[in-house]
Amino acid sequence: MDYQAKLSAPFGMLGIRCDMQRLLGIDFLPASEKPQEPHSAFARRVCAQLLNYFENPDVPFSIPLDAGGTVHQKKVWQAMLAIPRGQTRTYGGMAFELHSCAQAVGQACGANPIPIIIPCHRVVSKSGLGGFAKHVSGELLDIKRWLLAHEQR
């Protein structure tokens, strides 16, 4: 995968995919990956905003996004963007609001190509944490825990 930057985050390494004007994706990379300086002014802007967020979760993102996705996924991602920092919604609650089902909301969360900025970590199951980035255990759940704790400041 070609990244326009690889950014060291408090919980590991992030791969930044963008064109000259829009963020296309953020990937969670193995900790063994080496940082990579941004290849463009826009990639520098993305990295700067992410670093600001890691310092202060109240700093808003103002990056043009191009997440792609189906009509349903876009609807779920828009709903996630409306969840205030420090709050969560359940898959079922979002499904009710969107006239969908919890499984479809969970699938849209797992398909989110721009985690952190489109805050899929703020969607949890009614009985606990739920999944994150198509995983239900392991390192990625630790990242979800970190993000939620970070936003509780």
Side-chain angles (χ1 to χ4, degrees):
M1 176 93 31
D2 275 343
Y3 294 106
Q4 285 65 54
K6 291 182 186 175
L7 180 68
S8 184
F11 46 75
M13 191 65 63
L14 298 175
I16 308 300
R17 292 182 286 110
C18 59
D19 60 21
M20 295 301 195
Q21 301 174 336
R22 300 163 304 174
L23 179 61
L24 306 173
I26 296 175
D27 296 331
F28 297 105
L29 303 177
S32 60
E33 288 281 337
K34 301 281 186 252
Q36 173 185 307
E37 289 296 315
H39 288 188
S40 68
F42 184 76
R44 273 191 296 284
R45 183 174 157 208
V46 171
C47 291
Q49 288 194 22
L50 284 164
L51 290 171
N52 287 339
Y53 165 82
F54 295 141
E55 287 293 316
N56 177 1
D58 287 325
V59 173
F61 291 105
S62 61
I63 302 166
L65 309 176
D66 184 357
T70 66
V71 170
H72 182 263
Q73 287 170 336
K74 289 177 183 179
K75 203 161 71 166
V76 172
W77 298 338
Q78 279 302 122
M80 287 190 287
L81 286 166
I83 302 170
R85 180 202 55 78
Q87 295 184 28
T88 60
R89 300 285 183 273
T90 64
Y91 299 105
M94 284 190 68
F96 181 79
E97 291 171 22
L98 298 173
H99 307 287
S100 183
C101 70
Q103 183 179 14
V105 168
Q107 288 171 343
C109 289
N112 173 17
I114 308 176
I116 303 171
I117 295 175
I118 299 176
C120 51
H121 58 278
R122 296 180 188 159
V123 184
V124 298
S125 77
K126 66 181 176 189
S127 61
L129 199 56
F132 187 57
K134 299 182 183 173
H135 289 78
V136 293
S137 64
E139 279 181 43
L140 287 171
L141 266 296
D142 292 339
I143 293 171
K144 184 173 184 171
R145 284 184 194 91
W146 188 94
L147 291 167
L148 290 171
H150 177 61
E151 293 183 352
Q152 288 298 318
R153 296 173 156 203

